[in-house]
Amino acid sequence: MSVIDVGGSVREGEELNVEAVETWLKTQGIELQGLVEVTQYSGGASNWTYRLKYDNADLILRRPPKGTKAKSAHDMVREYQVQKNLAPFYPVVPEMIALCQDEAVIGCDFYVMKRIKGIIPRAKLPPELQFDEADVHQLCINVLDKLIELHQVPYQGTELEKLGKGEGYCRRQVEGWDTRYEKAHTINVPSFKFVRKWLCENIPADSTSCIIHNDWRFDNVILDPQQPTRVIGVLDWEMATIGDPLMDLGSALAYWVEDTDNMIFKSTRRQPTHLKGMFTRKEVVDYYLEKTGLQTENWTFYEVFGIFRLAVIAQQIYYRYYHKQTNNPAFKDFWIIIHALHIRALKLIGLQKIEANQIAQKYIDKFKEILPK
């Protein structure tokens, strides 16, 4: 089926020492038959991901990018153990095959897992799926239900308990992301002064503690090729921890672009949440709270936090471009997205002033100028 997610050519400078990997895999008791076909998955801002296809095995290798100084930022050991320990309770994680902590093999830690053959729903759903509104609606519910299932995993008394500190998560996150934004700030983006102050003054007590994914998006799930609304895999566990599930939901909603959103968000959309049949952000929250029984007196805090967190992530990437640490043209106009996120956060807090709308329109007009015709 043509819609099944596959890798592409290995990017220049990111070649894999396959011979060294094969030799190591065989020492782990992994039998490999036939010549290997190596491809690489798109992306690369985070960990590098390769597919190793043999006659008798279809494997995925994950490693940190070159030049990574802090292991904590791309901790292969932790990501491997999260999935291995989660598997008995949450069977949609990929099956772990082997973990390598011997840097003599390829110069860094890496792990190998079984590939899950399926469809990854990115910005545009493949037209071959022929989804109608009812199919889109069912996909939306199934993806949310998988997040809810994760939040119900009984982690107490298991190895998963070591994943995070738990209580006090909301405060640690606000303070941590605030510091990161300060360090990554450039002169052409807003200070977020009011938003940051508001977040610090409105930190709630944790609603509860559970396993959270921390990067929940449609393009991190895999769909069944035979029943494409069904989720059969969940990927990218790099940031998983123990924390407040409403923080996980708020962070997920920062990526949730609706059809009524402005042009900046619609043009940078990376998942198909704009389609008819998808929940609005408000409907997502209502559905989640009803199914979990959780309550909150200030949902706005979680949504504003998610927006600010996404702004920090985008700004950290833009900071590297601004200071010529990367020349990737895809990052050139991230500063405009930072402004758009700032305005969205202000509006949620309640500063719906005409000046904010005028500023928003200015950046929308600017963005139109730089979009490819």
Side-chain angles (χ1 to χ4, degrees):
M1 190 176 182
S2 61
V3 297
I4 289 173
D5 199 68
V6 294
S9 301
V10 175
R11 293 185 292 272
E12 186 177 351
E14 299 180 12
E15 295 81 9
L16 186 67
N17 186 341
V18 181
E19 188 177 341
V21 170
E22 285 185 344
T23 301
W24 177 81
L25 281 170
K26 287 171 183 175
T27 67
Q28 304 302 301
I30 314 296
E31 185 183 346
L32 303 171
Q33 297 174 4
L35 293 174
V36 66
E37 179 186 342
V38 183
T39 49
Q40 186 179 18
Y41 287 91
S42 61
S46 186
N47 297 316
W48 295 351
T49 306
Y50 304 84
R51 180 184 179 190
L52 309 177
K53 187 176 185 300
Y54 295 91
D55 291 347
N56 68 325
D58 200 352
L59 306 174
I60 298 291
L61 183 147
R62 292 262 289 172
R63 59 150 291 171
K66 285 179 183 172
T68 302
K69 292 179 181 176
K71 278 194 176 185
S72 59
H74 301 274
D75 192 336
M76 296 292 98
V77 178
R78 185 179 186 277
E79 190 173 328
Y80 174 89
Q81 290 173 342
V82 167
Q83 294 170 92
K84 190 174 182 64
N85 293 327
L86 194 53
F89 311 101
Y90 195 67
V92 289
V93 295
E95 182 183 338
M96 298 296 104
I97 298 296
L99 168 68
C100 179
Q101 295 178 260
D102 181 0
E103 293 194 3
V105 180
I106 62 168
C108 62
D109 293 345
F110 68 90
Y111 71 87
V112 177
M113 61 187 181
K114 278 191 179 178
R115 172 176 173 257
I116 299 175
K117 181 180 178 180
I119 305 159
I120 295 183
R122 303 186 191 276
K124 294 181 180 179
L125 283 181
E128 296 92 333
L129 293 180
Q130 298 183 321
F131 270 15
D132 58 21
E133 192 171 331
D135 293 322
V136 171
H137 186 70
Q138 191 58 55
L139 172 62
C140 178
I141 287 175
N142 289 352
V143 170
L144 290 174
D145 283 350
K146 274 288 171 280
L147 178 62
I148 291 169
E149 284 176 33
L150 175 65
H151 291 169
Q152 311 305 315
V153 166
Y155 69 91
Q156 293 93 339
T158 74
E159 286 295 311
L160 293 167
E161 204 165 23
K162 300 173 184 175
L163 267 181
K165 297 176 183 176
E167 192 176 342
Y169 181 80
C170 293
R171 178 166 296 281
R172 288 194 302 274
Q173 288 295 294
V174 169
E175 292 173 351
W177 288 101
D178 186 272
T179 300
R180 291 181 196 110
Y181 191 76
E182 193 71 41
K183 289 180 178 177
H185 187 258
T186 52
I187 59 171
N188 57 343
V189 296
S191 67
F192 273 82
K193 183 178 179 181
F194 182 87
V195 174
R196 291 159 63 189
K197 183 173 183 288
W198 184 89
L199 283 170
C200 287
E201 290 174 351
N202 286 273
I203 299 172
D206 294 355
S207 63
T208 185
S209 291
C210 66
I211 303 292
I212 62 174
H213 184 274
N214 242 341
D215 197 18
W216 192 268
R217 304 192 312 261
F218 278 72
D219 57 346
N220 275 338
V221 304
I222 304 174
L223 307 177
D224 185 345
Q226 306 307 318
Q227 192 182 337
T229 61
R230 178 172 167 257
V231 177
I232 58 171
V234 176
L235 304 172
D236 285 0
W237 293 90
E238 184 178 356
M239 295 191 284
T241 188
I242 295 172
D244 188 325
L246 296 183
M247 295 285 268
D248 208 9
L249 185 63
S251 296
L253 282 195
Y255 293 97
W256 198 284
V257 176
E258 299 175 9
D259 188 47
T260 55
D261 285 337
N262 70 43
M263 193 170 183
I264 294 174
F265 293 120
K266 285 179 13 180
S267 298
T268 55
R269 176 179 53 77
R270 57 186 302 167
Q271 52 184 6
T273 49
H274 66 302
L275 297 176
K276 286 185 178 178
M278 285 284 179
F279 286 155
T280 63
R281 287 186 288 270
K282 183 181 184 307
E283 288 170 338
V284 170
V285 177
D286 291 344
Y287 179 83
Y288 182 92
L289 294 178
E290 184 180 353
K291 275 212 86 165
T292 60
L294 288 174
Q295 296 178 340
T296 174
E297 294 179 0
N298 186 12
W299 167 255
T300 304
F301 167 83
Y302 301 99
E303 194 161 358
V304 171
F305 167 77
I307 291 166
F308 176 61
R309 176 181 180 266
L310 179 56
V312 180
I313 292 169
Q315 179 59 22
Q316 286 175 322
I317 295 169
Y318 179 70
Y319 179 91
R320 291 173 54 226
Y321 179 87
Y322 183 90
H323 289 285
K324 296 182 171 53
Q325 295 169 6
T326 174
N327 59 4
N328 188 333
F331 305 150
K332 178 175 178 285
D333 299 307
F334 268 32
W335 64 275
I336 298 173
I337 300 168
I338 313 297
H339 278 277
L341 289 166
H342 182 230
I343 291 160
R344 184 167 148 195
L346 289 175
K347 286 184 174 182
L348 277 170
I349 291 170
L351 297 184
Q352 296 183 2
K353 295 181 179 179
I354 190 164
E355 294 94 332
N357 290 325
Q358 288 172 343
I359 294 169
Q361 190 58 51
K362 182 177 77 170
Y363 287 108
I364 290 168
D365 293 341
K366 173 68 178 173
F367 199 67
K368 283 179 181 176
E369 291 174 15
I370 62 174
L371 280 175
K373 300 292 188 262

